[in-house]
Amino acid sequence: MSKHSTKENLQVLYEDNHVIIINKRAGDIVQGDKTGDKPLSEVVKEYIKDKYNKPGNVYLGVVHRLDRPTSGIVLFSKTSKALPRLNKLFKEKDAKKTYWAIVKNKPEKESDKLIHWMKRNPKQNKSYAHKNEVPDSKKAILDYTIIKSLNNYYLLEINLETGRHHQIRSQLSSIGCPIKGDLKYNFDRSNKDGSISLHASKLEFEHPVKKELISVTAPLPKDPLWDACT
C-alpha cells in the first residue's frame, strides 16, 4: 500500500468551520475496523487539533466511506450541526459523486446505465451483482462513459445513483470489465501498492450551513497509468 496519511501529509481539498474534505490515499481506512489500523478519521482529528490548538477531544463526523484500496474524496463533518444535514444529502442522493476507474476490456457501449441487484456476502466481504432481484438484494444503479483508451486499459467516468457495498467494483466486473488491481472482483493480478485503480474524483453538494454549491475535484494518485489519464 502507498504511504499512509499522517497529519503532516494529509491532503486537504477543502475546509471551513463545518466541513473538511480529504483526498484519501489508497490503503487508508476511513473509520476504525477490526484490523486496529489507525483510521483516516483519527488522522483528521489530529490535524484539526494541531492546526487550531484545540484542547480535549475534537468532534468529527464520518459522512460516507470509501473502500480501503480506493483513493479520492472523503467528506467529514466538523460540527454536530452539519452532520445530520450532510447525512440527509447523501441519503437522499443530493450529493453528486463522480468516480474514475481504469478497467480491463472495453465495455460494449461507449456509455451506459447499469442496473443490477446487489447481494452482499458479509463473510467474504463481497457483493454479487444479479441481473434480476434475488432475496435480500438491493437495487444498484450507475452510469459510465469511456473517456479514454489507454494501453490495454480503458478509463471510465462513473456517476453513482445508489451507494451500495462495493457497487462499482462488482457491477463493472459483472459486465466483464474488472478494475485494474481488484483481485476480489476478477482482475488477474494486484497493483504493486495494493491499491485498485478506482478514484473518487469529484464531489458536488450543497453546503449544509452556507447553502452554496461546493464542488471539489481530487488530484489523481501518483502513478504512471493514472498520469496517462490526464
Side-chain angles (χ1 to χ4, degrees):
M1 286 287 179
S2 55
K3 194 165 184 273
H4 293 287
S5 294
T6 65
K7 66 177 193 231
E8 289 78 24
N9 70 18
L10 201 63
Q11 198 175 359
V12 180
L13 300 174
Y14 176 91
E15 183 185 7
D16 62 21
N17 292 336
H18 305 282
V19 301
I20 182 166
I21 302 173
I22 304 298
N23 189 9
K24 180 180 108 58
R25 293 156 186 262
D28 284 345
I29 39 169
V30 174
Q31 234 180 346
D33 67 3
K34 60 182 183 294
T35 62
D37 292 345
K38 187 180 203 171
L40 190 58
S41 54
E42 287 305 315
V43 177
V44 176
K45 280 184 187 179
E46 286 174 7
Y47 161 86
I48 294 168
K49 194 178 173 77
D50 219 39
K51 186 175 176 181
Y52 303 102
N53 293 316
K54 286 195 174 236
N57 285 333
V58 170
Y59 177 86
L60 192 75
V62 177
V63 180
H64 64 121
R65 293 165 189 77
L66 274 186
D67 296 344
R68 187 166 194 168
T70 304
S71 58
I73 292 174
V74 183
L75 165 68
F76 295 100
S77 171
K78 287 171 71 176
T79 63
S80 51
K81 179 183 179 183
L83 184 63
R85 295 177 185 182
L86 289 167
N87 284 340
K88 189 166 183 272
L89 275 180
F90 274 74
K91 192 167 183 236
E92 293 175 359
K93 304 176 187 62
D94 290 329
K96 187 170 188 286
K97 294 182 279 186
T98 305
Y99 291 78
W100 278 16
I102 297 172
V103 300
K104 185 168 81 164
N105 305 327
K106 188 177 184 179
E108 277 180 28
K109 298 177 183 171
E110 287 295 313
S111 60
D112 200 9
K113 186 187 285 285
L114 301 184
I115 301 171
H116 289 93
W117 293 88
M118 305 287 290
K119 183 160 182 173
R120 186 171 179 174
N121 181 325
K123 277 204 177 87
Q124 292 176 308
N125 187 31
K126 191 171 173 178
S127 287
Y128 291 86
H130 297 268
K131 277 273 181 247
N132 303 303
E133 192 171 0
V134 297
D136 304 320
S137 62
K138 290 178 175 171
K139 197 174 194 178
I141 306 169
L142 65 76
D143 295 289
Y144 76 81
T145 303
I146 301 172
I147 53 176
K148 198 159 190 178
S149 292
L150 305 156
N151 288 340
N152 310 318
Y153 300 106
Y154 297 87
L155 174 63
L156 308 186
E157 183 168 278
I158 295 140
N159 287 300
L160 277 183
E161 275 188 42
T162 54
R164 307 296 179 210
H165 175 258
H166 290 182
Q167 179 181 336
I168 298 173
R169 300 165 65 180
S170 181
Q171 282 194 281
L172 290 180
S173 177
S174 75
I175 62 161
C177 303
I179 294 169
K180 184 178 180 293
D182 197 356
L183 296 176
K184 183 166 272 191
Y185 291 96
N186 301 324
F187 197 80
D188 46 16
R189 61 188 185 282
S190 58
N191 289 345
K192 278 198 191 81
D193 61 359
S195 69
I196 62 172
S197 301
L198 177 62
H199 182 69
S201 62
K202 193 173 180 187
L203 177 66
E204 289 182 324
F205 63 100
E206 186 188 76
H207 193 285
V209 180
K210 298 177 190 170
K211 299 298 176 196
E212 62 194 35
L213 181 73
I214 304 293
S215 178
V216 178
T217 302
L220 294 167
K222 291 279 167 246
D223 170 88
L225 197 55
W226 280 121
D227 292 345
C229 294
T230 50

